[in-house]
Amino acid sequence: MPAADSHQHAPARADRTAAGLAVYVHLPWCVVKCPYCDFNSHRVPDVLPERAYVDALLADWRASLGDEDRVITSVFIGGGTPSLFSATAIGEILAALDDRPGLAPDCEITLEANPGTTEYGRFTDLAGAGVNRISLGVQSFDADCLKALGRIHGPAEAHRAIADVKAAGINALNCDLMFGLPGQDMARGLADVETMIAADPGHISYYQLTFEPGTPFAKRPPARADDDTIIDLYEAAGQRLTAAGYSQYEVSAWGGDHVCRHNLHYWRFGDYRAIGAGAHAKITTRDGQIRREARMRWPTGYMQTAGTPRAITEAHTVSTEDARFEALLNGLRLREGITRADYEARTGLAWADLGAHVAPMLDRSLLAMDDQRLKTSPRGWPLLDAILSELV
């Protein structure tokens, strides 16, 4: 438990300089929307409105900056399928971010790509535009599983995309891999893991397929293995990834050569600005208030209103209770947990009060806490979702 006198030393407000600044850029179009996806993504029109959308992003960025002067430490270009956009467009977006307030010299710049929408040589052009990290939505190397997921690529395209990223000299590569798929048993699931390890990306995001509300899979769930088999697969895959030299630093993130700086920034409750249709931002103001805002979701409406107040469909100050829960929701996903320094600086809340809030979980040995750190215990790790639900 935290020291008895920790409350009197708690900060009075969040510190906007505590964690630097990240930026999220949303490019909302896909060739086909997958039946499990609940992201703000839309089927690409016959002609991709690249020019109009980039203009909207730039107007949005200029209008939203205010007096922002913090250097950008990471950029994540997500979607949708950002690899549908040209390297020229990506470079123009990055140039605007670098113009003001500026990109750090070692800024991590990630772009999501779908193996089914990449062309040979595309990653070389993206590297020239400034992208230094690629996140590939591989999901599986099993042709039947990919078909069941509605993916437009097959195993051959996944292998080729991985090779193309490496050939382009982009050394930071993440590959998404899903488990609990329709038609996937233990053997097929572990075969996917072995194939991914052999492909040797520096980072693997290994996560379970979920049936999110409103998606076709939620309305008509496909058959898949029972929960016990899925849990056994997750545990066996973790053992194999560990043996192969990957370290699990977050529930679904396994770092080999590198970790994802941008996602760590989220999980440590850092500030991030966001532009694009449906993009969400979290910003600490100069007076220590934590603000959240969201953009218009529909791409056409966003392009028509970007740069004006009408593009912001939601804006509110985060309450004390919400700031505490958001910090827990993100930080407890990390193996390292939440440090006292980060929690107090980034929420403006007292460490002792946090200890009182999580006391029931500490008493049940589901969480562990001392003067400087709160984290999920080995006993609590498999029960993380239930722990977070109880802490709401």
Side-chain angles (χ1 to χ4, degrees), residues 134 136 138 141 158-159 161-167 170-177 191-205 240-241 243-246 254-258:
I134 292 292
L136 276 178
V138 173
F141 292 98
H159 285 293
I162 291 171
D164 286 354
V165 172
K166 294 180 178 181
I170 300 177
N171 296 321
L173 169 62
N174 169 70
C175 287
D176 291 344
L177 187 66
D192 258 354
V193 173
E194 293 295 344
T195 304
M196 182 63 78
I197 290 171
D200 193 28
H203 190 280
I204 298 171
S205 295
R240 185 65 193 95
L241 289 167
Y246 288 88
W254 294 78
D257 298 336
H258 67 272

Side-chain angles (χ1 to χ4, degrees), residues 198-220:
D200 193 28
H203 190 280
I204 298 171
S205 295
Y206 188 62
Y207 59 99
Q208 183 180 343
L209 170 66
T210 55
F211 300 155
E212 299 294 342
T215 63
F217 271 8
K219 297 173 184 176
R220 297 177 296 278

Side-chain angles (χ1 to χ4, degrees), residues 279-281 291-296 309-317:
H280 289 249
R291 298 279 296 170
R292 285 200 177 275
E293 62 182 31
R295 267 87 177 139
M296 185 176 294
R310 289 187 299 145
I312 309 300
T313 56
E314 180 184 348
H316 68 275
T317 299

Side-chain angles (χ1 to χ4, degrees), residues 13-360:
R13 63 182 188 177
D15 178 4
R16 72 184 298 274
T17 65
L21 181 69
V23 175
Y24 176 75
V25 181
H26 191 72
L27 307 183
W29 289 286
C30 292
V31 174
V32 175
K33 189 171 177 70
C34 298
Y36 58 85
C37 178
D38 69 337
F39 294 161
N40 184 36
S41 59
H42 307 268
R43 187 162 186 164
V44 66
D46 291 338
V47 178
L48 178 71
E50 179 177 279
R51 180 69 262 162
Y53 194 77
V54 171
D55 286 344
L57 290 172
L58 301 184
D60 190 356
W61 182 248
R62 290 190 293 265
S64 68
L65 273 180
D67 60 356
E68 183 61 73
D69 59 358
R70 291 173 292 179
V71 67
I72 299 168
T73 56
S74 67
V75 178
F76 197 101
I77 305 171
T81 304
S83 52
L84 291 172
F85 280 65
S86 69
T88 299
I90 300 302
E92 189 173 352
I93 296 165
L94 294 175
L97 305 186
D98 194 30
D99 180 61
R100 180 163 179 259
L103 303 175
D106 63 343
C107 185
E108 176 191 86
I109 301 172
T110 302
L111 181 133
E112 289 185 328
N114 183 335
T117 60
T118 58
E119 301 171 2
Y120 185 78
R122 171 69 63 87
F123 294 116
T124 299
D125 294 337
L126 287 169
V131 173
N132 54 30
R133 184 176 183 272
I134 292 292
S135 182
L136 276 178
V138 173
Q139 315 309 2
S140 177
F141 292 98
D142 185 302
D144 292 336
C145 288
L146 287 169
K147 183 177 180 180
L149 288 173
R151 304 296 290 177
I152 64 171
H153 72 275
E157 288 83 2
H159 285 293
R160 191 191 73 177
I162 291 171
D164 286 354
V165 172
K166 294 180 178 181
I170 300 177
N171 296 321
L173 169 62
N174 169 70
C175 287
D176 291 344
L177 187 66
M178 300 175 74
F179 67 95
L181 308 182
Q184 186 184 70
D185 57 14
M186 179 71 76
R188 297 176 86 166
L190 288 178
D192 258 354
V193 173
E194 293 295 344
T195 304
M196 182 63 78
I197 290 171
D200 193 28
H203 190 280
I204 298 171
S205 295
Y206 188 62
Y207 59 99
Q208 183 180 343
L209 170 66
T210 55
F211 300 155
E212 299 294 342
T215 63
F217 271 8
K219 297 173 184 176
R220 297 177 296 278
R224 62 175 174 179
D226 60 80
D227 289 345
D228 287 342
T229 300
I230 291 173
I231 292 171
D232 289 345
L233 172 57
Y234 177 73
E235 293 177 349
Q239 294 171 4
R240 185 65 193 95
L241 289 167
T242 299
Y246 288 88
S247 176
Q248 185 184 32
Y249 65 99
E250 188 267 346
V251 169
S252 59
W254 294 78
D257 298 336
H258 67 272
V259 299
C260 179
R261 184 188 304 172
H262 188 86
N263 286 344
L264 274 176
H265 189 85
Y266 287 162
W267 295 323
R268 291 171 176 166
F269 206 53
D271 278 1
Y272 54 95
R273 292 190 175 274
I275 54 175
H280 289 249
K282 170 192 171 284
I283 298 295
T284 303
T285 63
R286 291 187 182 274
D287 63 357
Q289 298 294 311
I290 300 171
R291 298 279 296 170
R292 285 200 177 275
E293 62 182 31
R295 267 87 177 139
M296 185 176 294
R297 288 176 56 86
W298 190 248
T300 301
Y302 171 78
M303 287 187 286
Q304 292 170 346
T305 60
T308 75
R310 289 187 299 145
I312 309 300
T313 56
E314 180 184 348
H316 68 275
T317 299
V318 177
S319 68
T320 296
E321 292 78 11
D322 285 347
R324 179 178 61 206
F325 175 66
E326 288 180 14
L328 290 170
L329 179 68
N330 290 286
L332 290 179
R333 293 174 60 92
L334 293 170
R335 284 288 193 182
E336 67 180 25
I338 303 165
T339 67
R340 175 177 176 170
D342 282 352
Y343 180 79
E344 291 190 339
R346 298 174 191 183
T347 67
L349 304 177
W351 190 245
D353 292 346
L354 177 63
H357 181 70
V358 301

